[in-house]
Amino acid sequence: MGLEIPLPRLQRAVLRWYTRHARSLWWRRLSPEPYQVLVTELMLQQTQAQRVERVLPRFFQRFPTIRSVAEAPLAEVIRWWQGLGYNRRARFLWECAQTIVQHYGGCFPSELEQLRRLPGVGAYTAAAIATFAFGRQDVPVLDTNVRRVLQRILGTEHTSARELERIAREWLPGGASAQWHQALMDVGALYCHKHHPRCSECPLRRYCRSAGRVPPSARSMQRCEPSFAGIPRRLWRGRLLRLVAVAGTVTTEQAAQRLFGERPTGEQQRWIEELVAHLVRDGLLCRQGSWLSLPDGL
DNA sequence: AAGGCGGGGTC
DNA sequence: GACCCAGCCTT
């Protein structure tokens, strides 16, 4: 339904293109074991593949197995996460490791429901692990790339999330679900950009109802972030966390000096306190009196 | 349903 | 500058 050409032809075109033009992403050379897929997918959440590629090899060198994560202090995982952003994901990974080692005896769950219950694992990541690590063939893996590509092929303005999922399930090629989704992600990343799609070069242009006439997407609402001295709070949080990760232990006053200079104002000190409160609440920072350190997780 | 979350790349 | 990115959790 909604297709210009028979479904099997689209599927063959996608899979054939993928065999010849897949991005040579570092993790695609790994044999897909669940632990490695989990780490990779967590890192890829809202984070571009190119940056994950730079961090992933040394992360796996330090943490080769789920057990190595579970046995490490949380602080160590947070340190090795630095540079990736969304630092809560580091804690989620560590918590996943605790759960899998303690509750599943170190053996990864393969059912969607079980995966979905792991911290930091939502609908996308659960489907990705089931498909890429366990070879599930009947689950659509819907990230922003796949959604956008499917939506554009359909050419309809707004397909509801529910409807799009139904279609994505219907279009799954038997026996090649992993390659199918990887291919659609590559097309999304290389050609089917959100704003300036390169339709004339796209391998799917002959099968796509939107080819060459993608309507200019409306400006998304700019969200006015809370900020201090013109710098958004989330970036201050990142700076403070990195500071503690490097220093090991600092007082709030030392942290204020490192962030603002020798004599931080009262306002600046209060700002530090707010950042600390946020990071403590998220389980990324540990506070004892005025001393700050990364949590060990125990 | 909407806001917040990191950091770097892009236009 | 504004916007984006292999999402998720919280309110």
Side-chain angles (χ1 to χ4, degrees), chain A residues 215-227:
Chain A
S217 48
R219 284 253 184 279
S220 59
M221 288 285 293
Q222 66 186 40
R223 29 182 201 247
C224 56
E225 306 179 67
S227 65

Side-chain angles (χ1 to χ4, degrees), chain A residues 97-261:
Chain A
Q98 301 303 315
T99 301
I100 289 164
V101 167
Q102 291 169 18
H103 188 267
Y104 292 104
C107 186
F108 247 83
S110 58
E111 293 303 314
L112 276 182
E113 297 252 334
Q114 299 171 317
L115 291 168
R116 186 63 183 74
R117 269 186 238 118
L118 295 171
V121 176
Y124 163 75
T125 306
I129 295 172
T131 300
F132 303 145
F134 291 105
R136 281 281 296 257
Q137 299 295 318
D138 57 345
V139 179
V141 186
L142 294 177
D143 71 329
T144 52
N145 278 320
V146 176
R147 282 201 173 86
R148 192 172 57 248
V149 172
L150 294 182
Q151 182 74 72
R152 290 218 171 116
I153 290 175
L154 284 167
T156 50
E157 271 311 300
H158 275 315
T159 308
S160 71
R162 185 113 183 87
E163 178 70 356
L164 194 62
E165 183 181 342
R166 189 188 67 72
I167 294 171
R169 194 181 302 276
E170 205 174 274
W171 286 9
L172 290 174
S177 182
Q179 298 93 314
W180 168 255
H181 289 104
Q182 298 281 343
L184 292 181
M185 290 179 193
D186 280 6
V187 170
L190 296 174
Y191 302 101
C192 197
H193 300 139
K194 174 158 192 179
H195 286 302
H196 304 294
R198 304 163 58 188
C199 295
S200 63
E201 304 161 66
C202 179
L204 304 184
R205 62 187 178 280
R206 282 187 290 274
Y207 315 105
C208 180
R209 286 195 156 174
S210 307
R213 47 190 178 82
V214 174
S217 48
R219 284 253 184 279
S220 59
M221 288 285 293
Q222 66 186 40
R223 29 182 201 247
C224 56
E225 306 179 67
S227 65
F228 187 87
I231 298 174
R233 185 173 61 200
R234 59 194 172 93
L235 298 188
W236 283 113
R237 286 179 34 138
R239 287 184 184 190
L240 176 55
L241 189 63
R242 183 189 312 280
L243 172 62
V244 178
V246 171
T249 306
V250 292
T251 64
T252 53
E253 180 165 307
Q254 288 168 337
Q257 289 173 352
R258 300 281 285 276
L259 289 179
F260 292 112

Side-chain angles (χ1 to χ4, degrees), chain A residues 8-177:
Chain A
R9 282 187 54 190
L10 171 65
Q11 291 169 329
R12 275 198 304 273
V14 169
L15 294 173
R16 179 179 297 273
W17 175 84
Y18 185 69
T19 62
R20 307 184 60 154
H21 302 289
R23 286 183 291 176
S24 60
L25 298 167
W26 183 79
W27 55 87
R28 286 182 177 167
R29 287 173 240 144
L30 306 174
S31 63
E33 66 171 285
Y35 165 69
Q36 293 179 334
V37 175
L38 171 69
V39 174
T40 304
E41 294 302 337
L42 281 174
M43 285 190 180
L44 283 166
Q45 289 171 4
Q46 289 287 282
T47 305
Q48 279 151 352
Q50 202 167 1
R51 188 138 44 91
V52 172
E53 255 192 315
R54 294 203 310 270
V55 180
L56 203 51
R58 65 171 185 262
F59 192 91
F60 280 147
Q61 202 164 346
R62 170 62 184 82
F63 299 107
T65 62
I66 189 75
R67 276 184 197 280
S68 68
V69 175
E71 289 165 3
L74 170 57
E76 187 78 359
V77 181
I78 293 174
R79 283 200 181 87
W80 283 77
W81 199 269
Q82 288 306 296
L84 276 168
Y86 287 135
N87 296 295
R88 268 199 311 170
R89 295 181 299 177
R91 187 181 178 93
F92 290 151
L93 172 59
W94 185 83
E95 290 174 346
C96 283
Q98 301 303 315
T99 301
I100 289 164
V101 167
Q102 291 169 18
H103 188 267
Y104 292 104
C107 186
F108 247 83
S110 58
E111 293 303 314
L112 276 182
E113 297 252 334
Q114 299 171 317
L115 291 168
R116 186 63 183 74
R117 269 186 238 118
L118 295 171
V121 176
Y124 163 75
T125 306
I129 295 172
T131 300
F132 303 145
F134 291 105
R136 281 281 296 257
Q137 299 295 318
D138 57 345
V139 179
V141 186
L142 294 177
D143 71 329
T144 52
N145 278 320
V146 176
R147 282 201 173 86
R148 192 172 57 248
V149 172
L150 294 182
Q151 182 74 72
R152 290 218 171 116
I153 290 175
L154 284 167
T156 50
E157 271 311 300
H158 275 315
T159 308
S160 71
R162 185 113 183 87
E163 178 70 356
L164 194 62
E165 183 181 342
R166 189 188 67 72
I167 294 171
R169 194 181 302 276
E170 205 174 274
W171 286 9
L172 290 174
S177 182

